Amino acid sequence: MNGKRDWMKCLTLVLCAALLGLNLWLLRQISDLRAQLSNVNGNVKVWTEDIKTYVASRFSQMESAEKMVQDWDYTVSLNKERQGLDAAVTVTLREWGEDTVVELLWTNARDGGHGSVSMSGRGAGRFAGTLELPLEGDQEYMLEAVIRSGGTERREDLGYLGDTLELLPVQCYGWGLSGPDYIRDNEQDGTLSVKNCEVELRGDGKTPPQLSDQMFRLRRNGEIAAEKTAMFGNTIDQYTCEELSAKARIGDEFILSFFCRDASGLGYEFFLDGWTIGEGGLGEHLAPGVDWPKLTWD
């Protein structure tokens, strides 16, 4: 009787061990299947993205092949006589004939204004025209080309010409300073100081712009309260100033700016930062308005 019980116990232990091993094997198989499914899912995502990229590329190629405009470009120059910018736009066509006429359409994205400019042929399918852009406030322009040839007319989008202020030959790329520090001398009067001012300027090409009369200014209520000639910084397009300070009263508004002239003599004054003086010290932070940078044409 005892031998039979011992045999049953052994059989039970063997069966439990077998079941445990089977469970471990099943768990391992399930884990492997999950890993495989995860890899397949990742591959499907990659294949899907590849297909989307291929389809988009082919669609773009087909769309480009259908367009008559092969390429377009522009250059910008200052027009000091009318105090604006001249944008010389060139359009190159894939196909053209002796009777081909191209008209350049522009739309001001800010105020909805629009107009057109006739383009003259330059040979080899190239047509050129000049847009006269004003510099009154910040404007943006979108361009289209109307192509008439053989009794047909096509209208094609060229794209974004740009923000007029960003088309200027000199751009303020970045700036920094320490402060401002405001110390009140008595109930109304005090002194506002900024230190370690620096500004980085960029031109419209690969080389830094040729500048003169570079200086930092601290304006109080619109008038120049302090200014110092800028020193060269660590790079060829960086300028610095150790400290600027001016008397300040409650209610005053201060603007830190940078002034310079380009090779043509046009003066630029860039807004860097601004503050107000309140009852408790430094008050509201000021932001640049649409009239910056200020241009001096004389």
Side-chain angles (χ1 to χ4, degrees), residues 31-52:
S31 177
D32 290 344
L33 286 173
R34 286 178 176 173
Q36 292 174 14
L37 287 173
S38 177
N39 290 335
V40 169
N41 186 42
N43 290 333
V44 169
K45 289 182 178 179
V46 172
W47 296 334
T48 302
E49 290 301 319
D50 288 343
I51 292 172
K52 287 182 179 179

Side-chain angles (χ1 to χ4, degrees), residues 156-167:
E156 295 186 8
D157 177 58
L158 298 181
Y160 181 60
L161 176 64
D163 183 314
T164 50
L165 296 182
E166 293 179 354
L167 296 174

Side-chain angles (χ1 to χ4, degrees), residues 110-167:
R110 295 293 175 88
D111 61 16
H114 55 88
S116 64
V117 173
S118 297
M119 306 190 78
S120 58
R122 299 295 176 87
R126 295 177 68 250
F127 294 81
T130 300
L131 294 177
E132 296 183 350
L133 306 178
L135 284 170
E136 299 172 355
D138 195 3
Q139 308 294 331
E140 293 181 86
Y141 292 92
M142 304 295 294
L143 300 182
E144 293 177 291
V146 176
I147 305 144
R148 301 181 180 92
S149 182
T152 63
E153 179 176 300
R154 289 279 296 273
R155 182 165 175 166
E156 295 186 8
D157 177 58
L158 298 181
Y160 181 60
L161 176 64
D163 183 314
T164 50
L165 296 182
E166 293 179 354
L167 296 174

Side-chain angles (χ1 to χ4, degrees), residues 166-269:
E166 293 179 354
L167 296 174
L168 288 169
V170 180
Q171 299 289 323
C172 179
Y173 183 74
W175 58 271
L177 59 91
S178 298
D181 297 319
Y182 174 66
I183 300 175
R184 184 163 292 171
D185 301 327
N186 52 51
E187 185 175 344
Q188 290 290 329
D189 298 325
T191 303
L192 180 77
S193 300
V194 290
K195 298 179 181 179
N196 303 319
C197 304
E198 62 180 41
V199 66
E200 186 174 350
L201 303 181
R202 295 285 177 87
D204 56 357
K206 295 182 180 179
T207 58
Q210 297 181 2
L211 304 178
S212 60
D213 299 339
Q214 304 96 314
M215 63 182 63
F216 287 88
R217 288 174 173 173
L218 194 57
R219 288 184 174 272
R220 180 180 55 230
N221 302 325
E223 301 297 326
I224 299 175
E227 62 180 5
K228 281 188 177 179
T229 300
M231 300 178 293
F232 289 103
N234 295 325
T235 61
I236 194 170
D237 50 7
Q238 186 184 67
Y239 301 89
T240 65
C241 176
E242 292 182 356
E243 182 178 0
L244 275 176
S245 62
K247 292 294 182 180
R249 294 175 60 86
I250 295 174
D252 284 344
E253 292 186 350
F254 282 88
I255 289 176
L256 176 67
S257 65
F258 181 83
F259 178 83
C260 63
R261 293 185 185 276
D262 65 14
S264 73
L266 176 63
Y268 305 73
E269 187 169 2

